[in-house]
């Protein structure tokens, strides 16, 4: 029934074969990535781009790589703290590896659902109870998206208030900011009126399915809402502070990565400009059908920073370097890590630890 609560691990047991998914989509992903990385530099002249690369600071690039590692360490802390909420323990290193591996699997096997299922499997093989595996799989993206939403709104406000934008551009950003704020408001309202939010979401999703000439199954909508409600209940229980702070540092170190690649390219930018072009493209990229927002994130960041006055050649090289460090290298590393952890685990995934709390 549409109104019934969906078991939180229903999608885990129904996850498609990862081997089949990998074999089917990895070549497409690689080709798409090569295409994006070939097309982006065409936006600037080859001569200017090559000059930017030649003068990039190796020390600043190394600092950007370190900042990205710290970003994933912060994500590991999010998982570790969530697992601790149900009385289990997991090391930060293992949590960080789980985050990298699960994100890679999500690119080729079902997006958020595939990533959550992969994280669940790896966490459970480490001896964590079912509730801890579900928290670790589903809640970290909610925290990260909430932080990105806040950063996007702050970036839009910074552009509207402090930047001398053309009238049409200012109106566009203003409307987009209102839509984002309205979306956040609906979620907050909905967690206090869950049945009404579920009915509204099912009605909108159903109409969207009709528009796309597809059959609508309310199960996915109900499951997604259930995870949001679960995260909100964690907020109300007081267990949100640590994971929320760790998620904030995840984004902070990721922003530092972007800042340092601009420094490496010889064009440091201020905090306001950094914030203005950071959150929105990443947030929009998460809601596209493209894995990792390929092309959307790169194109959006290039367009925004160029509009804000960063030299075009610097912007293109800086965004490519940022995406290599924050997306491509972790994604490629995640596949062998997932295979290793999947076969290295010795714990029965159906066994519940004695110290687990329901």
């Amino acid at each position: 029934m549409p109104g019934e609560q969906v078991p939180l691990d229903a999608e885990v047991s129904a996850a498609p074969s990862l081997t089949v998914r990998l074999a089917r989509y990895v070549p497409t992903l690689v080709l798409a990535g090569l295409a994006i990385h070939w097309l982006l530099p065409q936006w600037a002249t080859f001569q200017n781009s090559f000059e930017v690369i030649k003068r990039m600071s190796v020390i600043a690039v190394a600092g950007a790589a370190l900042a990205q590692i710290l970003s994933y360490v912060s994500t590991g802390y999010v998982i570790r703290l969530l697992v601790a909420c149900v009385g289990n323990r997991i090391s930060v290193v293992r949590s960080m590896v789980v985050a990298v591996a699960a994100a890679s699997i999500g690119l080729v096997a079902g997006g958020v659902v595939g990533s959550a299922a992969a994280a669940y499997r790896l966490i459970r093989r480490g001896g964590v109870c079912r509730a801890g595996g579900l928290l670790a799989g589903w809640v970290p993206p909610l925290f990260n998206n909430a932080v990105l939403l806040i950063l996007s709104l702050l970036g839009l406000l910074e552009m509207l208030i402090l930047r001398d934008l053309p009238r049409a551009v200012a109106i566009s950003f203003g409307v987009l900011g209102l839509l984002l704020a309205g979306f956040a408001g609906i979620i907050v309202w909905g967690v206090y009126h869950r049945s009404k939010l579920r009915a509204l979401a099912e009605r909108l999703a159903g109409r969207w399915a009709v528009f796309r000439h597809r059959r609508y199954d309310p199960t996915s909508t109900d499951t997604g809402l259930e995870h949001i409600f679960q995260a909100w209940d964690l907020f109300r229980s007081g267990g949100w502070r640590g994971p929320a702070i760790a998620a904030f540092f995840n984004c902070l170190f990721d922003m530092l990565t972007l800042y340092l690649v601009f420094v490496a390219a010889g064009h440091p930018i201020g905090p306001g400009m950094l914030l203005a072009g950071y959150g929105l493209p990443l947030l929009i990229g998460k809601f596209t059908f493209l894995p990792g927002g390929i092309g959307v994130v790169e194109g959006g960041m290039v367009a925004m920073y160029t509009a804000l006055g960063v030299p075009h050649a610097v912007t293109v090289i800086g965004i490519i370097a940022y995406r290599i460090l924050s997306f491509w290298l972790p994604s490629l590393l995640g596949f062998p890590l997932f295979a290793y952890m999947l076969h290295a685990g010795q714990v029965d995934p159906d066994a519940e630890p004695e110290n687990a709390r329901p």
Side-chain angles (χ1 to χ4, degrees), residues 44-129:
T45 65
F46 280 107
Q47 182 178 359
N48 289 341
S49 298
F50 185 67
E51 290 298 320
V52 172
I53 294 174
K54 286 197 302 183
R55 65 171 184 263
M56 289 186 75
S57 168
V58 176
I59 295 177
V61 172
L66 177 60
Q68 191 58 216
I69 292 173
L70 292 175
S71 175
Y72 274 95
V73 170
S74 300
T75 302
Y77 265 102
V78 174
I79 294 175
R80 182 175 185 271
L81 293 169
L82 288 170
V83 167
C85 290
V86 293
N88 289 173
R89 294 182 180 180
I90 185 172
S91 70
V92 175
V93 174
R94 184 178 179 87
S95 299
M96 180 175 66
V97 173
V98 167
V100 175
S104 298
I105 297 303
L107 294 176
V108 296
V112 175
V113 174
S115 177
Y120 177 88
R121 291 184 66 183
L122 297 180
I123 290 290
R124 294 281 284 134
R125 292 188 74 85
V128 175
C129 68

Side-chain angles (χ1 to χ4, degrees), residues 197-338:
L197 179 62
R198 182 177 283 109
L200 175 63
E202 289 177 355
R203 184 162 59 250
L204 293 176
R207 291 180 179 177
W208 175 245
V210 171
F211 176 77
R212 299 172 64 194
H213 302 286
R214 293 188 178 183
R215 182 180 178 182
Y216 173 59
D217 181 5
T219 301
S220 58
T221 303
D222 292 342
T223 301
L225 288 174
E226 201 59 46
H227 296 312
I228 293 176
F229 298 153
Q230 183 185 40
W232 186 263
D233 291 338
L234 181 66
F235 266 61
R236 297 187 63 183
S237 68
W240 63 272
R241 294 179 181 85
I245 292 172
F248 170 77
F249 275 102
N250 170 34
C251 290
L252 183 64
F253 284 121
D254 192 53
M255 289 179 65
L256 181 60
T257 303
L258 181 58
Y259 171 76
L260 287 174
V261 296
F262 277 120
V263 171
H267 193 91
I269 59 178
M273 183 181 292
L274 177 67
L275 181 63
Y278 171 78
L280 189 59
L282 286 173
L283 188 65
I284 293 176
K286 289 179 178 293
F287 291 96
T288 65
F289 65 90
L290 297 171
I294 297 174
V296 175
V297 174
E298 291 89 344
M301 285 188 169
V302 167
M304 294 190 74
Y305 283 119
T306 301
L308 291 170
V310 181
H312 194 63
V314 171
T315 302
V316 170
I317 297 304
I319 298 307
I320 290 177
Y322 162 72
R323 287 289 277 175
I324 289 175
L325 292 172
S326 66
F327 176 71
W328 285 106
L329 288 180
S331 296
L332 295 176
L333 182 62
F335 294 114
L337 285 176
F338 179 81

